[in-house]
Amino acid sequence: MKYSLELQEKYKDVVFIYLSIDLDENKWMKAVKKEHLEGYNYNFMTINLKKTSDFKISSQFDISVKSIPRYMIFNKEGILINNDAPRPSEGEKLKKELEKYLIE
């Protein structure tokens, strides 16, 4: 999360969305506090999502998530443009990927 927070500071025009598949709201709230996500508007916990080894994040997108964490990039129109983006800890690799889409 440290790297993600650094990216939020650098890329003010990029919206970072955090989704949790926790089944226990208290665990999620503790993690939110620990990771300094309090007050961040795009921080969500899913509800009624059964734990499985493969789930769809939305019927709108044909995306099966087999492991977490998972990083994806959507453009301003909400179109998925990278289904398997580099992790924030991959630094320059992710920065190049983001900047490729920011200049389009």
Side-chain angles (χ1 to χ4, degrees), residues 1 5 8 30-40 43:
M1 289 302 291
L5 295 174
Q8 283 184 46
K30 285 179 186 177
V32 165
K33 187 172 183 168
K34 178 183 173 199
E35 302 299 344
H36 308 289
L37 293 174
E38 308 102 321
Y40 188 69
N43 175 23

Coordinates of all heavy atoms in Angstrom, one line a residue, residues 1 5 8 30-40 43:
M1 N 0.8 -1.2 0.0 CA 0.0 0.0 0.0 C 0.9 1.3 0.0 O 0.4 2.3 -0.5 CB -0.9 0.0 1.2 CG -2.0 -1.0 1.1 SD -3.1 -0.8 -0.3 CE -3.9 0.6 0.1
L5 N 0.0 4.6 -2.3 CA -0.2 5.9 -1.7 C 0.7 6.9 -2.3 O 0.4 8.1 -2.6 CB -0.1 5.9 -0.2 CG -1.1 5.1 0.6 CD1 -0.8 5.0 2.0 CD2 -2.5 5.6 0.4
Q8 N -0.7 7.8 -5.7 CA -1.8 8.8 -5.6 C -1.3 10.2 -5.5 O -1.9 11.1 -6.0 CB -2.6 8.4 -4.3 CG -3.5 7.3 -4.5 CD -4.4 7.1 -3.2 OE1 -5.0 8.0 -2.7 NE2 -4.5 5.9 -2.8
K30 N -10.2 -2.2 10.1 CA -8.9 -2.2 10.6 C -7.8 -2.0 9.6 O -6.8 -1.3 9.7 CB -8.6 -3.5 11.4 CG -9.3 -3.6 12.8 CD -9.1 -4.9 13.5 CE -9.9 -5.0 14.7 NZ -9.7 -6.3 15.4
A31 N -8.0 -2.7 8.4 CA -7.0 -2.6 7.3 C -7.1 -1.2 6.7 O -6.0 -0.6 6.4 CB -7.4 -3.6 6.3
V32 N -8.2 -0.6 6.6 CA -8.4 0.8 6.1 C -7.6 1.7 7.0 O -6.8 2.6 6.5 CB -9.9 1.2 6.1 CG1 -10.0 2.7 5.9 CG2 -10.6 0.4 4.9
K33 N -7.7 1.6 8.3 CA -7.0 2.4 9.2 C -5.5 2.2 9.1 O -4.7 3.1 9.0 CB -7.5 2.2 10.6 CG -6.9 3.2 11.6 CD -7.5 3.0 13.0 CE -6.9 4.1 13.9 NZ -7.6 4.3 15.1
K34 N -5.1 0.9 9.1 CA -3.7 0.6 9.0 C -3.0 1.1 7.8 O -1.9 1.6 7.8 CB -3.5 -1.0 9.1 CG -2.1 -1.4 9.0 CD -2.0 -2.9 9.0 CE -0.6 -3.4 8.7 NZ -0.5 -4.7 8.2
E35 N -3.7 1.0 6.7 CA -3.2 1.5 5.4 C -3.4 2.9 5.0 O -3.2 3.4 3.9 CB -3.7 0.6 4.3 CG -3.5 -0.9 4.4 CD -2.0 -1.3 4.5 OE1 -1.1 -0.5 4.1 OE2 -1.7 -2.4 4.9
H36 N -4.0 3.7 6.0 CA -4.2 5.1 5.8 C -5.2 5.4 4.7 O -4.9 6.4 3.9 CB -2.9 5.9 5.7 CG -1.9 5.5 6.7 ND1 -2.1 6.0 8.0 CD2 -0.8 4.8 6.7 CE1 -1.0 5.5 8.8 NE2 -0.3 4.8 8.0
L37 N -6.2 4.7 4.6 CA -7.2 4.9 3.5 C -8.5 5.6 4.1 O -9.5 5.8 3.3 CB -7.6 3.6 2.8 CG -6.5 2.9 2.0 CD1 -7.0 1.6 1.5 CD2 -6.1 3.8 0.9
E38 N -8.5 6.0 5.3 CA -9.7 6.6 5.9 C -9.9 7.9 5.1 O -9.0 8.7 4.8 CB -9.5 7.0 7.4 CG -9.0 6.0 8.3 CD -7.5 6.0 8.6 OE1 -6.7 6.4 7.7 OE2 -7.1 5.8 9.7
G39 N -11.2 8.2 4.8 CA -11.6 9.4 4.1 C -11.3 9.4 2.6 O -11.7 10.3 1.9
Y40 N -10.7 8.3 2.1 CA -10.5 8.2 0.7 C -11.8 7.7 0.1 O -12.4 6.7 0.5 CB -9.4 7.2 0.4 CG -9.0 7.2 -1.1 CD1 -8.4 8.3 -1.6 CD2 -9.3 6.1 -1.9 CE1 -8.1 8.3 -3.0 CE2 -9.0 6.1 -3.2 CZ -8.4 7.2 -3.8 OH -8.1 7.2 -5.1
N43 N -12.8 3.7 -1.7 CA -12.4 2.6 -0.9 C -13.7 1.9 -0.5 O -14.5 2.4 0.3 CB -11.7 3.3 0.4 CG -11.3 2.3 1.4 OD1 -11.2 1.1 1.1 ND2 -11.2 2.7 2.6

